[in-house]
Amino acid sequence: MGVHPNIGVAQQGDIPVGRGILVNDFLETQVPDVYAVGDCAEIEVVDGRNRIEPLWYTGKMQGEALAKTIAGERTKYERGVWFNSAKFFDIEYQTYGFVFNEPLDGISSFYWQHPAQDICLRINYKDDTQEVTGVNTFGIRMRHNVWENWLANGCTLKYVLENLRDANFDPEFFNRYEKDIVAAFNQQHPDNQLKLSPLRWLTKRFTKGHANA
Ligand SMILES: Cc1cc2nc3c(=O)[nH]c(=O)nc-3n(C[C@H](O)[C@H](O)[C@H](O)COP(=O)(O)OP(=O)(O)OC[C@H]3O[C@@H](n4cnc5c(N)ncnc54)[C@H](O)[C@@H]3O)c2cc1C
């Protein structure tokens, strides 16, 4: 409840708390039939630091997992690929997977920036396999489910760039930058020319075999 968990209710009811209301991976408190989800929940981690996940999409996923549990199908909460987004007036920022502020060993980065506007994209990928590991976008809105599948399935940078149109989630009539982005990659990599694919419906694109083809 809020950025700082409001745990007063739990404290009144003898429900164990830390910074938030303590729960396990099933979002269960130590009191039978009492659960916590969202900003107020502190997920206990056996070998690491407990997690509070104050984000709307993790709150939604926690709610979905808990709804199944309450309906009789005890379900573990699994966050999946890291995602966050923010919107301030007309500026849109998104991140999927991991893009650290310092480059990590074995990870390379492809970066594109619009020549005149505050619009850019960074995709990190593994040097050896070329699998993408994370993306940041500024001024371009991406589709959550497409990036989640690309990251979870180990899609290569080549595949992602060639199919970048599938990931665009900007409203109709917004400018699209996939052509410019692929052209920038081709200019930087004269020996590895990519060809942008036309937009196709998404369902065919999510298997690893197809992704790395
Ligand atoms: C300024 C701001 C910007 C944010 N931007 C982003 C963003 O860009 N991306 C993102 O993913 N997340 C963002 N968040 C976080 C996101 O809003 C929260 O993670 C999400 O709202 C948490 O949902 P929740 O239901 O757990 O808690 P809340 O949305 O806080 O809802 C809790 C509700 O419980 C009610 N309540 C509290 N105590 C009691 C009580 N005793 N009895 C009954 N009701 C009670 C409260 O009034 C409230 O309505 C932002 C948050 C803030 C404050």
Side-chain angles (χ1 to χ4, degrees), residues 1-3 6 9 37-40 53-57 84-87:
M1 301 170 190
V3 173
N6 177 349
V9 170
V37 296
D39 282 14
C40 68
E53 299 181 344
L55 295 168
W56 63 261
Y57 93 98
N84 198 9
S85 72
K87 186 165 170 57

